Amino acid sequence: MVYLLYGEDNYLKNEFVKKAKKSFGELQLGINYIQIDESNVNNVISDIETPAFGYERKMIIVKNANLMQKKNAISDKLSEYLNDADKQILDSIELIIVEDSVEKNALFNTISKIGMIKEFNEQKISQLITKVKSISAAYGVQIQENVAQYFIECTGTNMEDIINEIRKLIEYAGKGGTIKKEDIDSLTIKKSESVIFDLTDNLGKRDITKVLEMLKELLYNKEPIQKILVTLYNHLKKLYMAKLAEKYNRNIAECLKLKPNQMFLVTKYKKQSEFFKEKELRKILQELIDLDFYYKIGQIDI
């Protein structure tokens, strides 16, 4: 069987691979279990053809080898090979190709005919809230729905990040305990985008002391100043676009190109944009562009 797994959620892809390995049975690395990446992807056809001595079947995991790009000679050869392979060869392997993104090339079309393609995108907020609550409940820890949503807004929608951060909170709360908003603020590693949301809130409220505290915290956590400025610029640009979208009666989600699991951001962007005038946002964006320009020509130290 040939599988193609792709999408943004690495956790869900890894979970699929774990289950596949568990159901496969005994695995011996280098014999009936082969791991392939970009460095040794040239060997993929050879590895398929090599007998798994002593075992009926072989599992081959090809991870992030860029096989799903249109201009890829190895991909084309693998597609041709799999198309011509007889049933006995296909039955003797379990080939799992894992990629972040795909282009519908020849290999994609081949797998769609002879195997299975599964897309793993980040889940909707409602699904993630349910997941966070169920994980917490499994350890005897409570978390209210609004707190779970706040947690996801802070950590982002990637399942790997969510699992890593919720474990810390569960351990801190202890069996029979409850995860609170203040626990999230003090214990979790917030995505820089989430911190920028809070920073911009305080900027809009003209609480400069709080803004500078948050900026210092980002720098203390070793966030590069360039990344902070890029994130801030992109965030303020979205506020500006949200303001224009509302002004001209356009769909904010479409203008900001939000994903289905990011629809909760529409209200946040809309509400935050109200702190600023249109001209004010345009001026701030221009000042950030000027900052970049003067840094590049050596007139200022960023």
Side-chain angles (χ1 to χ4, degrees):
M1 185 66 171
V2 182
Y3 295 93
L4 169 60
L5 318 178
Y6 75 97
E8 299 166 333
D9 201 312
N10 291 324
Y11 174 83
L12 294 177
K13 288 186 290 188
N14 290 337
E15 282 297 297
F16 183 97
V17 172
K18 282 181 187 175
K19 288 177 182 176
K21 287 166 71 175
K22 190 174 181 180
S23 62
F24 189 86
E26 184 184 357
L27 293 169
Q28 289 293 328
L29 187 62
I31 302 175
N32 75 331
Y33 176 47
I34 308 297
Q35 294 177 324
I36 293 176
D37 57 26
E38 196 173 8
S39 67
N40 61 345
V41 69
N42 290 335
N43 302 327
V44 62
I45 294 176
S46 173
D47 283 323
I48 291 172
E49 292 178 328
T50 303
F53 293 100
Y55 295 91
E56 289 184 7
R57 299 176 69 238
K58 177 192 291 187
M59 174 175 277
I60 302 171
I61 309 288
V62 184
K63 203 166 186 180
N64 297 327
N66 296 319
L67 282 175
M68 305 314 299
Q69 306 306 310
K70 282 188 177 176
K71 293 181 180 179
N72 189 309
I74 300 168
S75 175
D76 291 341
K77 286 179 182 176
L78 179 59
S79 172
E80 187 178 343
Y81 177 82
L82 292 173
N83 265 322
D84 295 339
D86 60 38
K87 188 175 183 298
Q88 187 177 354
I89 289 177
L90 293 177
D91 286 346
S92 69
I93 62 163
E94 188 156 328
L95 175 62
I96 303 178
I97 300 171
V98 185
E99 296 284 351
D100 290 333
S101 59
V102 303
E103 294 178 15
K104 293 188 177 180
N105 58 10
L107 182 57
F108 184 96
N109 294 330
T110 296
I111 297 172
S112 67
K113 287 189 292 184
I114 67 168
M116 184 181 294
I117 297 175
K118 296 181 74 67
E119 183 179 8
F120 295 95
N121 283 325
E122 293 180 353
Q123 299 174 72
K124 294 178 181 177
I125 293 293
S126 57
Q127 294 173 305
L128 294 173
I129 289 172
T130 301
K131 188 74 175 176
V132 166
K133 289 175 71 177
S134 66
I135 292 170
S136 302
Y139 289 90
V141 174
Q142 298 297 312
I143 182 169
Q144 296 298 318
E145 185 144 339
N146 62 322
V147 178
Q149 178 162 339
Y150 177 72
F151 167 75
I152 292 161
E153 289 174 7
C154 290
T155 59
T157 53
N158 184 276
M159 202 64 202
E160 274 187 315
D161 295 335
I162 288 171
I163 295 292
N164 290 336
E165 295 303 318
I166 198 65
R167 281 174 178 164
K168 290 192 290 188
L169 292 167
I170 287 169
E171 189 174 340
Y172 179 77
K175 191 171 182 179
T178 301
I179 296 170
K180 299 174 184 175
K181 184 176 178 289
E182 49 265 35
D183 300 334
I184 296 168
D185 289 333
S186 60
L187 293 174
T188 59
I189 299 172
K190 293 186 178 182
K191 291 190 76 173
S192 56
E193 291 85 353
S194 173
V195 178
I196 292 296
F197 248 116
D198 294 342
L199 186 150
T200 312
D201 255 340
N202 288 297
L203 188 64
K205 294 170 185 173
R206 277 49 177 178
D207 189 346
I208 304 305
T209 302
K210 187 67 177 174
V211 170
L212 292 175
E213 282 177 8
M214 298 184 79
L215 181 60
K216 285 179 183 177
E217 187 177 342
L218 283 168
L219 294 170
Y220 178 79
N221 290 329
K222 294 184 169 51
E223 285 284 1
I225 186 67
Q226 291 90 344
K227 183 181 176 185
I228 295 170
L229 290 171
V230 167
T231 308
L232 183 60
Y233 175 84
N234 286 333
H235 181 74
L236 290 166
K237 185 179 177 182
K238 286 175 182 175
L239 295 186
Y240 182 57
M241 291 171 67
K243 207 161 190 68
L244 290 177
E246 196 167 18
K247 179 180 178 180
Y248 295 106
N249 199 27
R250 299 281 300 279
N251 186 297
I252 293 176
E254 287 180 6
C255 291
L256 298 182
K257 296 179 180 177
L258 297 178
K259 300 174 187 175
N261 65 346
Q262 294 178 314
M263 298 309 291
F264 71 97
L265 291 173
V266 171
T267 303
K268 294 188 75 170
Y269 282 125
K270 186 177 175 182
K271 184 178 178 182
Q272 202 170 79
S273 70
E274 292 170 1
F275 286 128
F276 304 91
K277 295 176 182 177
E278 184 185 321
K279 288 182 180 179
E280 191 176 20
L281 283 168
R282 191 164 64 241
K283 183 185 176 186
I284 296 170
L285 289 171
Q286 187 58 53
E287 286 178 348
L288 286 167
I289 291 169
D290 292 343
L291 176 66
D292 177 58
F293 173 74
Y294 289 122
Y295 165 66
K296 284 176 178 173
I297 63 173
Q299 285 196 12
I300 60 168
D301 185 328
I302 206 157

